[in-house]
Amino acid sequence: MPDLLTVTDLVKHYPSGRGRTVHAVDGVSLSIGPGEVLGLVGESGSGKSTVGKCILRLTEPTSGRIVFDGTDITHLSRRGMRPLRRDVHIVFQDPYSSLNPRFSIGQIVAEPLRQHGIASGRAATEKVCEMLERVGLRAQMRHRYPHELSGGQRQRVGLARALVCEPKLVVADEPVSALDVSVQASVLNLLTDLQRDMGFSCLFITHDLSVVEFLADRIAVMYLGTVVESGPREQIFTDPQHPYTKALLSAAPVPDPAAQRGRRRVVLSGDVPSPLTPPSGCRFHTRCPVAIDRCATVVPSLTPVRAPEHPVACHLVTEDSVPTLAQ
Ligand code: SF4
Ligand code: MG
């Protein structure tokens, strides 16, 4: 089956005063198949949310190509995007600011139905009640207002609003990171169940690898505007190749302490460098614990290492995989 979404060589630069340029996204390619969940992982400032915004066309890409469900949406106008909006929905990070406080929960969840002319009146109310129940809220909740709800309940409303039109793709941008740890797992489990039931594809954006461990089919790791490694979830978790992926994994909490013992903790020094002045060569070289001379000058390209579907951008890793020439 063809991919539902293909992003090719996406670049997003924007001006930042005094003639400087923010290199938010620099040549990202990825694809998501029907019903597939892609976890897009990286620290804050890695450009992962910008990728999400370009896909949703909330921001205009500088260059590259985005094809959704057979349509090139890279430069579609607002009007041109309108029919596609019912098929792509977003779940925001902050359930506090993403729900309009002046509207009831029922109005909030019904809004996309009205906007896309799917249902109104009684039919819309029925759909809203059904959707609220699917996300684990009582139908009566539709008469309440956002301020009367807990953070976990609000994020369930956010999910109901995103899913009520039965979209083909959901972009979930850090959907649980603003929630108390105690409610994160229940919202994640709910999202996993809904995804399996409803079969939508999902781009799940997170800074925390452990969050996508049970949800994602594939994972792409971003560092400073570029993808440094991607592959099937099991391969990323059991056989990570890029030094940055290894560091992220070693920092992720593991429920079973015995499993942690096998993973050497890699502590990265410093913060992600500014996207105003990304380092030359491998962008990770200023923090990489195993960098070699070449890393500061030569850009490593994404090259399949363990399997065709597991590319890695690291000189050390790709060098190992190149067969040595006979003498
Ligand atoms: Fe580290 Fe060099 Fe690999 Fe970059 S290319 S991750 S700096 S070893
Ligand atoms: Mg973000």
Side-chain angles (χ1 to χ4, degrees), residues 242-243 282 284-285 288 290-291 295 300 314-316:
H242 196 281
C282 173
F284 188 52
H285 86 261
C288 180
V290 292
C295 300
C314 170
H315 295 310
L316 280 188

Side-chain angles (χ1 to χ4, degrees), residues 35-232:
E36 192 179 39
V37 180
L38 176 70
L40 188 61
V41 184
E43 284 163 288
S44 69
S46 59
K48 55 195 192 306
S49 293
T50 308
V51 171
K53 283 189 194 126
C54 288
I55 291 168
L56 290 153
R57 290 302 321 280
L58 300 175
T59 187
E60 178 83 17
T62 306
S63 63
R65 191 157 181 254
I66 304 169
V67 176
F68 175 73
D69 207 12
T71 306
D72 186 336
I73 62 167
T74 322
H75 300 292
L76 270 192
S77 63
R78 279 178 94 93
R79 198 197 171 101
M81 270 303 283
R82 212 174 289 152
L84 294 167
R85 293 249 176 247
R86 80 174 266 185
D87 288 329
V88 193
H89 280 265
I90 183 164
V91 180
F92 293 97
Q93 170 169 7
D94 186 358
Y96 295 90
S97 64
S98 64
L99 305 181
N100 191 325
R102 288 180 298 134
F103 291 119
S104 70
I105 301 308
Q107 289 171 313
I108 290 170
V109 177
E111 173 61 14
L113 293 172
R114 194 193 57 74
Q115 213 176 26
H116 298 293
I118 297 171
S120 59
R122 268 235 327 251
T125 308
E126 267 170 34
K127 272 194 176 291
V128 167
C129 293
E130 189 193 314
M131 203 59 234
L132 286 176
E133 281 168 7
R134 280 189 102 154
V135 299
L137 297 172
R138 283 173 301 111
Q140 285 310 313
M141 199 70 111
R142 70 186 187 281
H143 302 300
R144 305 266 205 98
Y145 284 81
H147 72 270
E148 301 175 84
L149 272 51
S150 70
Q153 289 172 326
R154 289 183 205 201
Q155 199 52 304
R156 285 169 192 262
V157 172
L159 278 175
R161 177 180 55 186
L163 299 176
V164 73
C165 295
E166 300 181 27
K168 292 180 180 165
L169 175 69
V170 172
V171 175
D173 190 357
E174 302 268 13
V176 297
S177 56
L179 301 177
D180 283 349
V181 176
S182 58
V183 293
Q184 285 187 357
S186 63
V187 173
L188 274 180
N189 288 339
L190 171 66
L191 182 57
T192 308
D193 289 347
L194 289 167
Q195 192 274 330
R196 288 186 188 147
D197 276 8
M198 300 176 74
F200 52 84
S201 305
C202 181
L203 178 70
F204 192 106
I205 298 171
T206 176
H207 67 283
D208 180 354
L209 249 180
S210 62
V211 159
V212 285
E213 180 154 11
F214 301 103
L215 182 67
D217 299 301
R218 284 187 304 120
I219 289 172
V221 179
M222 278 188 78
Y223 186 79
L224 212 52
T226 64
V227 171
V228 296
E229 176 167 13
S230 70

